[in-house]
Amino acid sequence: MALRYHTKKIFIQRDFSHGTGVQFSSEFPPELRGKVDELTFKQTIDCINSMFNEAESLSCRTCGEGCFACMTGYVIHFCFKTHYERCTDRVAHYIQQQNYHVYEPRGVILGDPMDRGLRCIEVNITYELNIET
């Protein structure tokens, strides 16, 4: 008996019901049943959504950062990351940690939404198939 692996890709789409800010649908995909429990998936997506909400929030710091960038002819961006870049790095690190601790042992891998232009989150699901030879 040989083991073969089959991979299926699904995509978690953007949720535009609350405006154009980066937010992904936390609706549980039926393809993940039996692989990941619904609460874990929802918590992961909610955490990603809250990180993007923070990235797009307006504060004195982000306004000052923008003004300082303008005064330096945006040369400052060669030396320092913007608030948005730091937040997207945190999202990538969070997804990497979630994959390592939660999803990969169950045969699921979440992709970084930045890899797809913030349009969706790619989810790869691996199935083991037993094939008799």
Side-chain angles (χ1 to χ4, degrees):
M1 186 174 350
L3 281 177
R4 290 192 64 186
Y5 297 96
H6 174 71
T7 303
K8 182 175 184 177
K9 288 184 181 189
I10 61 171
F11 299 94
I12 309 302
Q13 299 296 325
R14 286 269 299 270
D15 180 7
F16 292 101
S17 63
H18 300 291
T20 58
V22 178
Q23 182 174 341
F24 296 95
S25 173
S26 59
E27 184 178 323
F28 188 72
E31 293 89 350
L32 290 178
R33 292 206 196 289
K35 290 276 193 182
V36 179
D37 64 288
E38 220 170 312
L39 182 63
T40 302
F41 176 79
K42 185 172 178 6
Q43 287 173 341
T44 300
I45 298 299
D46 288 345
C47 187
I48 292 170
N49 286 340
S50 70
M51 287 183 199
F52 277 113
N53 189 31
E54 179 191 338
E56 295 180 345
S57 66
L58 189 61
S59 67
C60 290
R61 182 178 180 176
T62 57
C63 287
E65 188 179 273
C67 290
F68 190 66
C70 186
M71 289 188 301
T72 62
Y74 296 95
V75 174
I76 193 71
H77 291 307
F78 291 120
C79 302
F80 300 104
K81 289 185 175 186
T82 65
H83 173 70
Y84 197 86
E85 289 171 323
R86 287 190 302 272
C87 288
T88 55
D89 287 348
R90 279 186 34 231
V91 169
H93 180 72
Y94 174 74
I95 290 173
Q96 185 180 32
Q97 290 298 317
Q98 287 294 105
N99 278 337
Y100 182 75
H101 294 293
V102 178
Y103 293 100
E104 282 180 13
R106 297 175 179 162
V108 177
I109 298 175
L110 299 180
D112 185 355
M114 289 297 287
D115 294 342
R116 297 229 172 236
L118 297 176
R119 295 171 307 176
C120 61
I121 298 174
E122 180 181 336
V123 181
N124 291 304
I125 307 167
T126 304
Y127 299 97
E128 288 183 7
L129 302 173
N130 292 326
I131 297 179
E132 294 183 27
T133 54

